[in-house]
Amino acid sequence: MTSPAPEQVFSEWHETLLRVRYSETDKMGIVYYANYLIWFEIGRTEFCRARGFSYRDMEENEDAFLVVAESYCRYKAPAYYDDELLVRTHLTELRRRSLRFGYEVVRVSDGQIISEGETGHVVTDASGRVRSFPEGYAQRLLGPAILKSQSAGEVVPTEEGPE
Amino acid sequence: MTSPAPEQVFSEWHETLLRVRYSETDKMGIVYYANYLIWFEIGRTEFCRARGFSYRDMEENEDAFLVVAESYCRYKAPAYYDDELLVRTHLTELRRRSLRFGYEVVRVSDGQIISEGETGHVVTDASGRVRSFPEGYAQRLLGPAILKSQSAGEVVPTEEGPE
Amino acid sequence: MTSPAPEQVFSEWHETLLRVRYSETDKMGIVYYANYLIWFEIGRTEFCRARGFSYRDMEENEDAFLVVAESYCRYKAPAYYDDELLVRTHLTELRRRSLRFGYEVVRVSDGQIISEGETGHVVTDASGRVRSFPEGYAQRLLGPAILKSQSAGEVVPTEEGPE
Amino acid sequence: MTSPAPEQVFSEWHETLLRVRYSETDKMGIVYYANYLIWFEIGRTEFCRARGFSYRDMEENEDAFLVVAESYCRYKAPAYYDDELLVRTHLTELRRRSLRFGYEVVRVSDGQIISEGETGHVVTDASGRVRSFPEGYAQRLLGPAILKSQSAGEVVPTEEGPE
């Protein structure tokens, strides 16, 4: 009855804090650009935890890995050593065998948006073969609001269309 | 008279070899996805050297930095520890104050394309202010064929249009 | 009157928490050994903050850098992705132009000591020339207990002996 | 008859070249200190290859891993972006279930010694259990000169004493 609109589901961001490490800077005095992808990965890990499961357990107990198929990052302002940053992560797509995350990195001190990005993932087993999400995990990724609507008989993860 | 068509200019790839480091792998047993951006940076450094200048000198002597504004990578097949890889780099766009590079990473042993990517850069001074390329550097990036056509009076770097 | 014994000063550990990143693991499934030095650096940064100053400010406002001269690490047990770790840092030596830190990394879940280490540093200016600590900083590193004893006229940082 | 003295064996250095990556520098403008351990690992990989085997194959075909138990590095001079460096690696100890490597990093342009280091390793299987070197590998690490003396009946790897 009270199923949330998809916009609601995908607009819920999870936020995690981190502090820029000395090792993450380069000779320009700012954060080296590859490190943003590492922060996105921290965002994903904490997004899963906030949704009630540990990504480590999903790998180790369910033989399901979120292999990265694509990454995109737009660098909007430099980040500096010891800056406190908010990594904001949300789900932008969820299918039976793949998903996408969107990210924003914001500096806490001045609210400056540092970067925006996106990653696309395919679910595989340990040998790299594509598989679908283990039982219950897609639902957990969608969050508690959806769990309720699920019980009303709706199926939210979309079927993969022809590619 | 014999000015090369732009397609020719941009289709010239520079190739550099590297070997996957143990530190670049992760618990999945394959290369961690952020490392591809580090390899792209090596591709850029060696592309500049092949065009007759050192990127380090451009930073230190000309106060010109190629700050990354955007990165994109598509991961097509996993790379493994000790794999020998060819990083192929070419210029895909050159303007007065910006440029774009395209990349391909290919495994030497089996010719497998590991990834494809692109980065967009803005030219800045050490303080981060946007500037145009230092005298002569845009021409060098275009390569010797272009230098010849340049002397025939053609200007290849395009003007920045309205954004 | 109530000056603390040196053993007390040096036995005060600062503790900071971190979580193992996916990027920090390698194909053995455990944390790659170079990352421990990055964690030691986080320990130093937070040790300074706990002593009332920001290491970033010391670099930027006082032109004083703690350049690493030596590092040592003993790896006692593997650390795994998503482990929560306590990085314990203390001062083991403080001279006019140099200092040493000692470290312990402990897994929170089972109390296992993961590693022990030490780093030696020299104070330099931005150009790399050795200098002494900026006014007041050596005292701050020693902590509030020492500040009190300092006011009683004692000088705690030892003079550099002949090397 | 012509068995080499141990000093000879251990004094043979293997040399490999690398170039400092932009990602390896930090805001001080020099190479970040943890990266030296990554270079030592490259030195080990290439030392093995020069001794006639691939370390990757030893892991994958023989279930034998050289887990790091200790690392030490002394930083003697800064290294800069784009510096060409020689990583010199030699064996300093070889026992049935452990070994040690020594390293020197030298800048090619001026011969400056950048750092010196040492790592200690234990041989384990994939599950982390200590084991002895797989058949023939200790001999290969000692090099061809030793192989000859081996055939004369001498056993070079020392027995582990009580620890």
Side-chain angles (χ1 to χ4, degrees), chain A residues 33, chain B residues 14-16 18 36-50 87-90 101-103:
Chain A
Y33 83 128
Chain B
H14 177 261
E15 302 190 337
T16 189
L18 56 81
Y36 290 77
L37 300 193
I38 295 177
W39 299 343
F40 292 169
E41 171 240 301
I42 293 172
R44 293 194 294 277
T45 293
E46 297 306 326
F47 182 94
C48 291
R49 200 181 331 273
V87 179
R88 309 183 69 229
T89 308
H90 71 151
F101 287 104
Y103 313 89

Side-chain angles (χ1 to χ4, degrees), chain C residues 39-103:
Chain C
W39 299 344
F40 292 170
E41 171 240 301
I42 294 172
R44 295 194 294 276
T45 292
E46 298 306 327
F47 183 93
C48 291
R49 200 180 333 272
R51 286 293 192 265
F53 68 97
S54 137
Y55 175 66
R56 173 163 76 172
D57 291 349
M58 184 172 127
E59 280 198 359
E60 290 173 10
N61 303 337
E62 307 284 346
D63 190 27
F65 297 75
L66 296 178
V67 171
V68 187
E70 249 181 320
S71 70
Y72 172 75
C73 186
R74 189 179 155 132
Y75 307 88
K76 306 189 73 159
Y80 301 98
Y81 164 58
D82 214 40
D83 275 358
E84 229 180 344
L85 303 177
L86 206 59
V87 179
R88 310 183 69 228
T89 308
H90 71 151
L91 210 54
T92 59
E93 194 181 279
L94 182 66
R95 293 168 177 252
R96 282 203 324 122
R97 294 184 290 259
S98 69
L99 83 173
R100 296 184 75 82
F101 287 104
Y103 312 89

Side-chain angles (χ1 to χ4, degrees), chain D residues 9-10 47 51 53 58 66 91 93-99 123 132-144 146-147 150 155-158:
Chain D
V9 175
F10 292 118
F47 183 93
R51 286 294 191 263
F53 68 97
M58 185 172 126
L66 297 178
L91 210 54
E93 195 180 279
L94 182 66
R95 292 168 178 253
R96 282 201 326 122
R97 294 185 288 258
S98 69
L99 83 174
V123 191
S132 44
F133 274 101
E135 180 72 24
Y137 279 83
Q139 284 70 20
R140 286 185 215 178
L141 282 164
L142 289 170
I146 294 307
L147 280 176
Q150 290 283 319
V155 175
V156 178
T158 42

